[in-house]
Amino acid sequence: MELSVLVVKALIIFGVFGITLLIATYSTYAERKVAAFIQDRVGPNRAGPLGLFQPLADAVKLFFKEEFVPANANKFLFIAGPSLAMLTACMSSAVIPFGNTLLIDGQYIAVQAIEVNIGILYIFGVVALGVYGIMIGGWASNNKFSLLGAIRAASQNISYELAMGMSIIALLVLTGSLSLGVIARQQGETLFGISGMNWNIFYQPVGFLIFLVCAFAETNRVPFDLPECETELVGGYHTEYSSMGMGLYLFAEYVNIFVASAVMATLYFGGYNFPFMYDLGLPHNVVTILGTVVLFIKILMFIFFFMWVRWTLPRFRYDQLMNLGWKILIPLSIANVVITAAVILLKEEYFR
């Protein structure tokens, strides 16, 4: 591989990691601005122009706070918990294709940190490990309320990962690939005479709705933020945390929101594809850069949706959350798989 290609690939890897952290950082600012807008108040506006330095001020505040470790806590696991939650959150974005390919010195380079043919399985595996970070932190705190919050998070994640996995199976039956790169490329095909519009949302609307609901539960966001509850659990799995231990848990939540938004945009809303992308007559690299911009617009819209829901909907009770997961979403996702498979078989048999 030539040096220029290696440099471009390295820049893509660092870019993916840096953009993930940057968007997660400013999601905290956006969350407060959106909340202020919905509640008809000002929001952060003191630190820097328009309050844009507020996330940096929050980070400095967390860094310089005293790191308190309870006397009877397991100190190693107490530190490992938030570290694992943050590590798994950052690892998930590595396989997401943020663009098509760049043509450099006659070689096509994918705008993707790592290209693996089991990308969706990789994300599910890494995201599933994230609950260990919460469980370890809750257990190591030696606090009953923290442990209860961690158990809530674990049972909630298990319940909703089943439905989320089944919704993805229907999509995999349709696309025939586990690679996120392949799934994104397939959606760039022509639909109704428009290139770049063969999006999976047109074929899997029910699967997308199931995935969307499960994504809220996986990221512990309202209306499924049951692992945290001041009235029932004092705080939640992070009750005993302060300084950057608390900061890592909070930051991991925003990284998870970014990854969930990127996965939904890639799987169901065309990824980096946009209407008429191949009909404009633009050079290949320009189309790729435009596609990357379009993908980030889609991701930011999903992040806004997460925030909008948080500040407008009430939270579920825990029994309602379990009922929704086990009695509604899982049967619905199984039915979606069966119907999708039946439609594909019928199409192959009679409409080929």
Side-chain angles (χ1 to χ4, degrees):
M1 187 179 290
E2 295 182 11
L3 183 61
S4 58
V5 175
L6 275 174
V7 170
V8 172
K9 193 66 184 172
L11 286 175
I12 289 171
I13 292 172
F14 283 114
V16 167
F17 186 67
I19 289 171
T20 301
L21 294 181
L22 181 67
I23 291 182
T25 301
Y26 272 90
S27 291
T28 62
Y29 169 79
E31 174 107 52
R32 296 171 69 175
K33 277 292 187 185
V34 170
F37 173 73
I38 292 174
Q39 296 173 343
D40 194 21
R41 54 185 175 82
V42 178
N45 66 346
R46 297 296 179 194
L50 302 176
L52 284 170
F53 294 159
Q54 187 65 47
L56 302 178
D58 290 339
V60 171
K61 182 181 72 176
L62 286 172
F63 267 115
F64 285 97
K65 267 190 169 182
E66 181 185 1
E67 182 72 50
F68 176 78
V69 180
N72 295 320
N74 184 316
K75 292 182 179 174
F76 173 74
L77 294 180
F78 190 79
I79 296 170
S83 305
L84 182 62
M86 186 66 195
L87 178 68
T88 53
C90 290
M91 286 171 61
S92 310
S93 62
V95 297
I96 295 171
F98 288 98
N100 194 357
T101 55
L102 289 171
L103 182 59
I104 308 288
D105 289 341
Q107 291 192 42
Y108 289 98
I109 304 171
V111 186
Q112 186 178 11
I114 305 170
E115 169 62 32
V116 289
N117 57 7
I118 54 165
I120 192 64
L121 280 185
Y122 169 86
I123 288 181
F124 267 71
V126 171
V127 168
L129 288 176
V131 74
Y132 283 96
I134 295 175
M135 196 66 208
I136 288 171
W139 184 83
S141 298
N142 195 30
N143 178 319
K144 293 185 180 68
F145 294 112
S146 299
L147 182 60
L148 284 172
I151 291 172
R152 278 189 176 189
S155 55
Q156 174 177 319
N157 284 17
I158 291 169
S159 305
Y160 282 81
E161 273 177 12
L162 290 171
M164 181 182 271
M166 293 303 292
S167 69
I168 289 296
I169 287 176
L171 186 70
L172 299 181
V173 168
L174 186 70
T175 59
S177 175
L178 289 165
S179 166
L180 286 171
V182 172
I183 293 173
R185 276 195 296 277
Q186 287 176 348
Q187 296 176 86
E189 296 172 2
T190 301
L191 181 69
F192 301 126
I194 304 173
S195 63
M197 274 302 291
N198 193 33
W199 298 0
N200 289 325
I201 183 64
F202 300 127
Y203 308 106
Q204 282 292 308
V206 176
F208 166 69
L209 288 176
I210 295 169
F211 192 98
L212 180 66
V213 173
C214 294
F216 274 86
E218 283 286 318
T219 52
N220 296 327
R221 296 282 295 186
V222 175
F224 306 121
D225 61 334
L226 277 298
E228 305 167 29
C229 184
E230 290 183 2
T231 53
E232 297 170 10
L233 302 174
V234 183
Y237 57 90
H238 49 49
T239 298
E240 300 292 350
Y241 281 90
S242 59
S243 187
M244 280 311 293
M246 182 72 175
L248 288 177
Y249 271 133
L250 297 178
F251 201 57
E253 178 181 316
Y254 285 98
V255 175
N256 282 328
I257 291 171
F258 170 74
V259 172
S261 301
V263 170
M264 284 190 286
T266 303
L267 292 181
Y268 294 100
F269 283 84
Y272 50 78
N273 299 293
F274 57 92
F276 305 107
M277 61 185 296
Y278 297 120
D279 303 327
L280 300 174
L282 297 172
H284 178 79
N285 286 351
V286 175
V287 174
T288 298
I289 293 169
L290 281 177
T292 302
V293 173
V294 167
L295 175 60
F296 276 101
I297 291 172
K298 295 174 185 175
I299 292 172
L300 293 178
M301 290 176 70
F302 273 116
I303 291 175
F304 171 75
F305 183 69
F306 271 96
M307 295 173 182
W308 181 36
V309 168
R310 175 176 178 179
W311 295 101
T312 50
L313 289 186
R315 67 191 334 220
F316 278 43
R317 285 201 320 265
Y318 196 67
D319 60 313
Q320 291 173 329
L321 176 136
M322 286 290 126
N323 281 336
L324 178 66
W326 288 98
K327 295 181 180 177
I328 298 177
L329 290 183
I330 292 177
L332 190 62
S333 60
I334 292 173
N336 188 46
V337 173
V338 173
I339 292 171
T340 302
V343 170
I344 291 174
L345 283 176
L346 288 172
K347 183 182 174 187
E348 290 284 323
E349 188 69 25
Y350 298 106
F351 300 100
R352 207 169 174 181

